[in-house]
Amino acid sequence: MNTTRTQVAIVGAGPAGLTLAHLLHLEGIDSVVLEDRSREYVEARIRAGVLEQAIVDLLVEAGAGERLQREGLVHHGIELQFAGERHRIPLSDLAGGRAIVIYGQTEMVKDLIALRLATGGPLLFEVDNVSVHDLDTGRPVVRYRHDGREEELECDVIAGCDGFHGICRPSIPDGILSEFSREYPFGWLGILAAVAPSSDELVYAHNERGFALLSLRSPELSRLYVQCRPDDDVSEWPDDRVWEELQLRLGLDGWTLAEGPVLEKGVTGMRSYVCEPMRYGRLFIAGDAAHIVPPTGAKGLNLALHDVRVLAEALVDWFRSANPVGLDAYSDTCLRRVWRAEHFSWWMTQMLHRPEEQDAFDLKLQLSQLRYVTSSPAAATALAENYVGLTSL
Ligand code: FAD
Ligand code: PHB
């Protein structure tokens, strides 16, 4: 077995792992990033698209936001649609001038990979059999297989940035973690379509046929979602059916949704999940590895980057001055924001989705909530400040 050493071993080259590697690099801290998929796969995976202002600022300040600043689309509002009408929530007016930026997670990951390779930092794709060991000692170890060789990576700290289905969280011994979760009886069928977005701003639509969302990726690319069953297979959703449902759910008198070739299609299940604490010994877990939100609040990607910002700052203090305060507070600090986002995402989800058998009382409550949010400045402000991202928590 070949043995190497680094300061921080990072498992997973998603947004969390790649951003952490770069933030540490800027502070002169060495890391090795291990990813089990290929570069092509990671760079093609279509996921989130809404960035909070604070996350844009983080990436720009870290020198990772050059293309994001050029191509990202700044939005100052979103639309909520229900009962045949659209209502604008003026996010920036309500949330101290802050905005959101539309920039695909796929593009962000491409930028971060290019940056990592340009700065010469180790980033290994297609590693197999990743396992983490000796987590409760001062010398944790990651073992993996790469290019047919067994490798051992000694380190000071392991960052588990390997997503919800990764191996880091399950490597924590039984009895340490408390887990909190909720499954929803909904899924999202998402498409990427080669057609100019029919609305300048995102439209979240409550409809008797189920929720729909109009989003975008660029002036030429629309991203659209319809509520489906969580176990629906994409084969049940031929393009014609997707467009038909989108037209029915998003349509308004005097407005039509422009259609175009479907470039990508997939079903995402919806779940809320948190594990506490986000640490075991020298293993720190971040992003989807530690928590999941349903996508209705557009928080998953943002939370992942908030976690690694906190982790990077704590690691700098620890490596530079042997100061453990930040690392000891890591889990509690992150969990405050995580639970806020959990609540917001759950709240948006239950306000906008139609259960298959919804009783009339629940429907009346949803519509009342939507009317309140779109007519009361206080209620709209609560939505806006959560959506653009709370600054103090
Ligand atoms: P990930 O992006 O999951 O990255 C983890 C990385 O670790 C992956 O590259 C994975 O291949 C790698 N990995 C896993 N296991 C191992 C292993 N054993 N060894 C090495 N590497 C490993 N959020 C939104 O806000 N809006 C959306 O529309 C939206 N859509 C989504 C659609 C899907 C299908 C999914 C799964 C998520 C979606 N999310 C969305 C959530 C958002 O994309 C995530 O919150 C975000 O990707 C979290 O980043 P991460 O780096 O923590 O995890
Ligand atoms: C997206 O553009 O993919 C998107 C936008 C808003 C959401 C979720 C996903 O709430």
Side-chain angles (χ1 to χ4, degrees):
M1 188 172 310
N2 190 33
T3 301
T4 46
R5 198 183 143 70
T6 189
Q7 288 175 290
V8 183
I10 300 176
V11 185
L18 290 166
T19 303
L20 178 63
H22 184 62
L23 295 175
L24 294 177
H25 165 79
L26 294 176
E27 299 289 344
I29 297 171
D30 292 335
S31 66
V32 173
V33 185
L34 304 172
E35 165 62 48
D36 67 351
R37 301 290 194 151
S38 67
R39 180 175 178 183
E40 294 69 34
Y41 181 91
V42 170
E43 291 191 340
R45 205 163 35 186
I46 306 214
R47 287 184 172 179
V50 175
L51 300 183
E52 296 173 0
Q53 177 96 55
I55 294 306
V56 174
D57 295 346
L58 171 73
L59 291 167
V60 170
E61 278 162 28
E66 194 260 325
R67 194 161 67 98
L68 162 62
Q69 276 181 302
R70 221 173 343 112
E71 296 178 16
L73 304 169
V74 180
H75 281 204
H76 298 286
I78 56 168
E79 305 258 11
L80 293 184
Q81 177 174 331
F82 60 96
E85 285 179 6
R86 255 176 220 172
H87 305 258
R88 181 166 192 265
I89 307 282
L91 297 173
S92 301
D93 294 347
L94 296 169
R98 280 172 292 141
I100 50 161
V101 175
I102 308 297
Y103 190 66
Q105 178 172 333
T106 322
E107 303 311 313
M108 178 204 287
V109 164
K110 282 185 206 162
D111 296 346
L112 289 164
I113 289 175
L115 197 58
R116 177 73 176 170
L117 298 176
T119 52
L123 166 55
L124 306 182
F125 291 98
E126 298 180 74
V127 298
D128 293 318
N129 297 338
V130 178
S131 59
V132 295
H133 307 269
D134 305 332
L135 303 174
D136 55 352
T137 74
R139 291 321 249 344
V141 166
V142 183
R143 298 204 182 96
Y144 60 96
R145 202 177 155 76
H146 189 240
D147 280 344
R149 290 158 58 111
E150 300 296 334
E151 303 278 348
E152 185 168 78
L153 179 60
E154 293 177 354
C155 55
D156 298 303
V157 162
I158 300 174
C161 302
D162 50 350
F164 187 67
H165 300 288
I167 54 93
C168 288
R169 189 184 66 251
S171 304
I172 297 174
D174 288 350
I176 302 285
L177 296 181
S178 300
E179 297 180 285
F180 307 87
S181 66
R182 175 143 315 172
E183 300 269 341
Y184 300 85
F186 325 119
W188 278 17
L189 182 286
I191 59 165
L192 185 69
V195 58
S198 299
S199 163
D200 291 339
E201 294 184 329
L202 271 66
V203 182
Y204 288 80
H206 175 281
N207 184 276
E208 62 185 18
R209 303 182 66 86
F211 170 74
L213 170 61
L214 184 163
S215 181
L216 64 157
R217 285 293 176 273
S218 74
E220 299 83 34
L221 282 178
S222 297
R223 177 82 171 143
L224 297 138
Y225 298 93
V226 282
Q227 176 189 333
C228 62
R229 295 201 183 95
D231 50 0
D232 273 0
D233 192 90
V234 279
S235 62
E236 296 169 69
W237 285 91
D239 296 358
D240 287 355
R241 181 178 174 208
V242 179
W243 287 116
E244 195 185 324
E245 280 302 324
L246 285 167
Q247 298 288 3
L248 289 168
R249 298 181 194 192
L250 286 164
L252 282 180
D253 284 346
W255 180 91
T256 33
L257 176 69
E259 300 184 10
V262 174
L263 306 177
E264 195 264 352
K265 197 190 293 178
V267 173
T268 308
M270 296 178 76
R271 149 191 306 127
S272 300
Y273 172 89
V274 182
C275 80
E276 297 185 2
M278 293 167 54
R279 171 188 189 171
Y280 173 67
R282 292 287 181 95
L283 170 67
F284 294 83
I285 48 178
D288 277 16
H291 41 75
I292 295 284
V293 284
T296 330
K299 287 284 157 243
L301 172 59
N302 291 293
L303 276 184
L305 268 68
H306 279 292
D307 286 353
V308 295
R309 178 181 50 80
V310 175
L311 184 55
E313 282 169 12
L315 286 169
V316 170
D317 280 351
W318 189 66
F319 279 114
R320 285 240 181 93
S321 346
N323 177 356
V325 172
L327 282 184
D328 289 344
Y330 167 72
S331 180
D332 286 347
T333 305
C334 291
L335 284 167
R336 275 199 295 278
R337 182 176 293 279
V338 167
W339 277 111
R340 179 85 301 277
E342 290 289 345
H343 180 269
F344 178 65
S345 305
W346 163 85
W347 176 76
M348 288 284 281
T349 301
Q350 57 84 36
M351 178 170 70
L352 287 161
H353 291 71
R354 294 286 309 268
E356 259 176 50
E357 288 177 23
Q358 184 177 39
D359 75 27
F361 185 80
D362 285 344
L363 174 58
K364 293 281 186 190
L365 288 182
Q366 279 185 328
L367 292 170
S368 171
Q369 178 76 71
L370 283 160
R371 270 191 208 103
Y372 180 47
V373 160
T374 51
S375 58
S376 151
T381 301
L383 189 155
E385 66 177 3
N386 278 279
Y387 197 86
V388 301
L390 287 154
T391 42
S392 59
L393 271 170

